[in-house]
């Protein structure tokens, strides 16, 4: 991504999470009222005015992908917290809002939002403009996931790297080189036993709409560059220190979240969510 500009895909993802709150009716996969404050009134008005555009099949599928990945990661985080993990690192946090709508149980978590400096500055400005207070258990780390030595960066954060960490990295790896991704896998895979990592990764895409979205994000200066063969990725993850690798299939997501849930968004068609445990 452009070193000096805030991520426009972070704003795009925020818009789709907001659209889910505004136009998808009563039943929601992710309850995220704070995203509306964070993106602001004008952006919400834009969603309402252009609501039909948000029902194009490609945009709908992308909306499912974006709200599902947050919901799944937050559900796994709760399970990890119940099992004793009390640190949450969000890599490439973008406009993630978990910290600002955290349920009471999460007050015992140490939450660290890490992002590219320009994207983080943009988020902090949005938080200030919206009058959203930063809870005491939240801190921020600037990181360039391509360039920086992650152990060094996070050694100087509020995280205790001698204890397990729950790490989420949603909608980020596709923008990074394979070398940077390998570095992330090694860093997280090298954290203490009980560490858990939920991330999204892209398999090679073929459909016409994904070509369109790919073209659009490339034009915005954030091309999708890394796609994976998941069998190869599993081997890489095991070598990086993870003992369990779970690819969340569309059938599993459908059973877990969509069946009988009266959601207006469709279930996912492809596997892109991965959960791994050290
Ligand atoms: C599509 S957004 C996803 C944001 C958020 N995780 C979500 O689910 O809405 C991609 C995020 O990756 C971050 N990112 C991309 N390249 C990065 C890099 N080299 N170093 C740090 N962050 C990066 C961007 O700043 C942005 O916040």
């Amino acid at each position: 991504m452009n070193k000096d500009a805030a991520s426009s895909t972070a704003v795009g993802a925020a818009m789709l999470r907001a659209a889910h709150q505004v136009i998808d009716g009563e039943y929601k996969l992710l309850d995220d009222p704070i995203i509306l404050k964070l993106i602001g009134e004008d952006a919400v008005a834009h969603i309402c005015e252009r609501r039909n555009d948000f029902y194009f099949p490609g945009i709908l599928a992308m909306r499912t992908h974006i709200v599902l990945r947050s919901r799944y990661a937050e559900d796994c985080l709760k399970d990890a917290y119940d099992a004793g993990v009390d640190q949450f690192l969000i890599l490439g946090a973008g406009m993630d809002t978990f910290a600002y709508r955290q349920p009471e149980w999460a007050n015992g978590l140490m939450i660290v939002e890490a992002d590219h400096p320009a994207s983080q500055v943009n988020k902090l400005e949005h938080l200030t403009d919206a009058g959203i207070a930063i809870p005491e258990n939240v801190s921020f780390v600037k990181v360039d996931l391509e360039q920086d030595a992650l152990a060094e960066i996070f050694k100087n954060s509020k995280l205790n790297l001698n204890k397990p960490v729950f790490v989420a990295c949603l909608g980020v790896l596709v923008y990074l080189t394979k070398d940077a991704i390998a570095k992330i896998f090694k860093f997280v895979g090298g954290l203490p036993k009980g560490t858990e990592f939920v991330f999204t990764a892209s398999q090679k895409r073929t459909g016409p709409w994904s070509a369109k979205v790919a073209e659009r994000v490339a034009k915005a200066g954030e091309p999708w560059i890394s796609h994976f063969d998941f069998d190869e990725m599993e081997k890489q993850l095991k070598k990086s220190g993870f003992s369990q690798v779970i690819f969340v299939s569309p059938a599993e997501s459908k059973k877990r979240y969509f069946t009988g849930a009266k959601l207006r968004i469709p279930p996912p068609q492809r596997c892109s969510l991965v959960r791994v445990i050290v």
Side-chain angles (χ1 to χ4, degrees):
M1 66 181 285
N2 179 338
K3 275 195 177 336
D4 305 317
S7 164
S8 58
T9 60
V11 177
M15 287 293 278
L16 292 183
R17 284 204 303 276
H20 185 52
Q21 306 308 305
V22 175
I23 64 173
D24 285 337
E26 182 186 351
Y27 300 99
K28 295 182 178 52
L29 184 51
L30 185 74
D31 229 343
D32 186 3
I34 206 87
I35 191 69
L36 304 178
K37 280 180 84 177
L38 191 63
I39 63 167
E41 275 173 20
D42 290 352
V44 173
H46 171 85
I47 293 168
C48 295
E49 276 158 28
R50 306 290 297 267
R51 63 193 300 138
N52 289 343
D53 294 355
F54 285 82
Y55 287 109
F56 288 159
I59 304 289
L60 254 182
M62 189 52 94
R63 187 147 83 251
T64 290
H65 169 70
I66 283 170
V67 293
L68 174 64
R69 70 193 189 194
S70 291
R71 169 68 187 270
Y72 179 74
E74 291 175 20
D75 285 354
C76 292
L77 170 67
K78 169 76 169 80
D79 291 345
Y81 181 76
D82 288 344
V85 179
D86 63 0
Q87 310 186 89
F88 180 26
L89 169 61
I90 313 175
L91 286 177
M95 297 288 181
D96 193 290
T97 55
F98 176 79
Y100 317 98
R101 56 180 163 78
Q102 54 180 288
E104 226 180 293
W105 62 260
N107 297 350
L109 269 179
M110 169 65 67
I111 303 174
V112 175
E113 291 199 6
D115 207 345
H116 199 273
S119 304
Q120 195 162 79
V121 166
N122 185 40
K123 177 167 196 182
L124 290 168
E125 282 170 7
H126 272 76
L127 286 168
T128 306
D129 291 351
I132 299 169
I134 296 168
E136 279 185 4
N137 62 342
V138 180
S139 59
F140 298 89
V141 169
K142 291 183 177 39
V143 67
D144 184 339
L145 295 167
E146 286 292 345
Q147 307 291 336
D148 293 339
L150 301 183
E152 275 307 303
I153 293 277
F154 292 110
K155 210 169 67 187
N156 296 317
S157 74
K158 291 204 173 168
L159 294 174
N160 177 349
L161 300 184
N162 296 315
K163 288 192 342 181
V165 185
F166 185 94
V167 184
C169 186
L170 307 175
V172 180
L173 298 189
V174 74
Y175 300 103
L176 302 178
T177 59
K178 292 263 170 100
D179 283 352
I181 296 169
K183 221 169 56 177
I184 293 173
F185 287 174
K186 285 216 175 101
F187 167 65
V188 182
L191 292 173
K193 199 168 166 45
T195 288
E196 186 166 333
F197 184 25
V198 172
F199 61 93
T200 53
S202 167
Q203 299 184 72
K204 197 103 199 112
R205 290 171 182 250
T206 48
W209 73 260
S210 72
K212 264 193 190 146
V213 182
E215 203 183 299
R216 197 185 287 180
V217 292
K219 265 191 194 149
E222 293 172 64
W224 288 342
I225 55 176
S226 284
H227 304 278
F228 284 90
D229 171 316
F230 277 7
D231 290 336
E232 290 300 317
M233 181 193 264
E234 180 166 5
K235 286 183 205 146
Q236 188 185 355
L237 286 161
K238 292 242 164 98
K239 273 196 203 146
S240 305
F242 296 100
S243 61
Q244 282 184 66
V245 176
I246 300 146
F247 293 103
V248 186
S249 68
E252 167 65 17
S253 298
K254 190 171 173 187
K255 188 167 105 197
R256 195 170 168 147
Y257 294 117
F258 288 80
T259 306
K262 300 185 185 161
L263 296 173
R264 278 199 196 157
I265 50 173
Q269 297 291 319
R270 53 173 51 241
C271 175
S272 56
L273 257 177
V274 190
R275 173 178 174 230
V276 291
I277 299 167
V278 172

